[in-house]
Amino acid sequence: MGAELLDATFAALAHPTRRAILARLARSEATVTELAEPFDMSQPAISKHLRVLERAGLVSRGRDAQRRPCRLEARPLREATAWLADYRDYWAESYQRLDALLDELHAGDRTDVERRPDRPDGTGG
């Protein structure tokens, strides 16, 4: 995925209204009027959000007689997910190293407890 398209995808996903539009379109195609229904905003405002989503390649518009349905285009999401997967792998490896360190520290704590005297003054039990 090109850097420009990746930037456009993440910019489009940055707004909660656009994410909600994509979630709605994941269920089925919808017109601008249908997409605007759950929001407290005008159809022109929804159309602006749709243009951002279209530029990112996340939405396409068709024509069905008089109806102009919008459809989800998932390819940019798949490519963004693949890009993020590299970082998921990084964090998984980091957590594995942290787990190993914590196991090592925990094993050291057990050793210290075994060597520790029973009484704080060191006189034993």
Side-chain angles (χ1 to χ4, degrees):
M1 173 180 251
E4 214 171 282
L5 188 55
L6 189 62
D7 291 347
T9 299
F10 284 116
L13 294 173
H15 198 283
T17 299
R18 293 192 286 267
R19 291 192 305 271
I21 289 170
L22 291 176
R24 167 59 183 83
L25 292 175
R27 292 192 309 268
S28 67
E29 62 183 33
T31 64
V32 175
T33 302
E34 292 166 341
L35 291 170
E37 284 174 7
F39 300 103
D40 186 24
M41 62 178 64
S42 66
Q43 285 184 9
I46 291 293
S47 290
K48 286 182 181 181
H49 285 296
L50 284 170
R51 281 193 293 280
V52 172
L53 292 167
E54 282 180 294
R55 278 194 301 273
L58 293 164
V59 169
S60 64
R61 294 192 206 201
R63 182 174 286 287
D64 182 15
Q66 297 290 12
R67 200 167 175 263
R68 295 221 34 202
C70 299
R71 291 180 191 86
L72 174 66
E73 299 293 339
R75 187 182 57 79
L77 292 174
R78 192 171 37 249
E79 292 178 10
T81 299
W83 183 84
L84 287 169
D86 292 337
Y87 294 94
R88 182 180 53 228
D89 294 345
Y90 166 80
W91 285 109
E93 290 171 13
S94 295
Y95 286 131
Q96 288 171 354
R97 286 192 307 273
L98 180 59
D99 284 343
L101 176 62
L102 291 174
D103 287 344
E104 184 180 312
L105 292 173
H106 186 67
D109 287 346
R110 281 189 297 225
T111 304
D112 289 347
V113 167
E114 292 168 1
R115 287 190 220 143
R116 193 177 301 150
D118 292 338
R119 299 177 69 190
D121 63 5
T123 60

